[in-house]
Amino acid sequence: EKTSAMAAAADAERHRVVAAINGDFFDKTGMPVNVQVRRGELFRGPAAHSAFAVTGGGKPLMEVFSALYSVRTADGVWREVQGFNRPRQADESILYSHRYGAGTATNAYGSEAQVQMLTPFVVNDTLRAVVRERKLNTGNSPLAFSMMVLSAHGAAQAWLDVRVKSGDTLLVVCTLRPALGKIVEAIGGLPRIVRDGKVSV
């Protein structure tokens, strides 16, 4: 879909579109290669390239973001998660949302927890979720709206199998740094042509 067509479709009384940015590249699965946030929801975590973003207060900014993902289990202990909406590697735990596709596409050498979101997905905010189903030594859990899957392998799987049970309430935080408040929109792109008023490529 053309950027101009998308801008025209979004333009309405009391919601005037003043700019539309054609951004980022995509991998073979159709996922953007850099960070993408839409209406506060994270679609893809950041890469080491510039991104254009808008905060909840309407402030535009351009940053090279990094991310920190973490989960607090029912016993009150926080643990870092290594990624979001990307393939799981050895000894990693990864969070998946329905934006990744129909399923996690993980193999059977791990465990997964399907969790239902109790609060809307907002970047740089604390989210509450309840574990609806646990799967041991299995993979490719289905992904659905308002659900997430926490998938783990190896050392991370040992933690998941001990600490996360069906019925548990979890806290989930997906932070984009530098933390500049709630990020409601973000799109990546490269290269960054101008930096501090000077050509940067």
Side-chain angles (χ1 to χ4, degrees):
E1 188 173 4
K2 291 184 178 180
T3 307
S4 55
M6 295 170 71
D11 189 60
E13 189 67 34
R14 301 180 60 84
H15 186 270
R16 291 300 180 204
V17 175
V18 296
I21 299 173
N22 181 22
D24 219 347
F25 296 93
F26 297 84
D27 65 21
K28 63 183 179 181
T29 69
M31 288 292 287
V33 298
N34 197 357
V35 65
Q36 187 170 1
V37 178
R38 187 173 184 192
R39 296 187 178 96
E41 180 187 354
L42 185 66
F43 283 38
R44 178 71 175 244
H49 300 290
S50 296
F52 175 80
V54 180
T55 68
K59 179 183 177 182
L61 55 109
M62 196 172 291
E63 293 285 349
V64 177
F65 289 101
S66 63
L68 177 65
Y69 314 108
S70 52
V71 173
R72 194 188 79 172
T73 48
D75 58 4
V77 177
W78 287 94
R79 182 180 174 95
E80 185 176 347
V81 175
Q82 285 71 49
F84 181 85
N85 278 355
R86 68 164 175 79
R88 186 191 70 201
Q89 304 297 327
D91 296 315
E92 284 189 329
S93 54
I94 304 291
L95 279 166
Y96 294 94
S97 76
H98 74 284
R99 300 297 183 182
Y100 188 71
T104 61
T106 49
N107 59 35
Y109 303 107
S111 293
E112 300 188 330
Q114 290 181 299
V115 300
Q116 181 176 0
M117 305 306 295
L118 302 177
T119 50
F121 196 147
V122 179
V123 175
N124 293 357
D125 201 3
T126 302
L127 316 174
R128 292 179 65 246
V130 62
V131 180
R132 294 299 185 201
E133 185 177 359
R134 285 285 286 110
K135 294 184 176 182
L136 305 179
N137 300 313
T138 188
N140 200 26
S141 292
L143 296 168
F145 181 75
S146 81
M147 302 289 289
M148 292 183 77
V149 171
L150 177 58
S151 179
H153 171 270
Q157 179 185 350
W159 160 78
L160 185 69
D161 290 348
V162 170
R163 299 286 186 177
V164 179
K165 308 294 183 187
S166 292
D168 284 357
T169 297
L170 309 177
L171 297 183
V172 180
V173 176
C174 296
T175 304
L176 291 180
R177 298 180 293 185
L180 301 166
K182 294 178 181 178
I183 302 295
V184 295
E185 301 289 336
I187 187 168
L190 62 100
R192 185 162 171 175
I193 300 170
V194 176
R195 186 184 301 270
D196 298 325
K198 298 179 181 179
V199 175
S200 65
V201 294

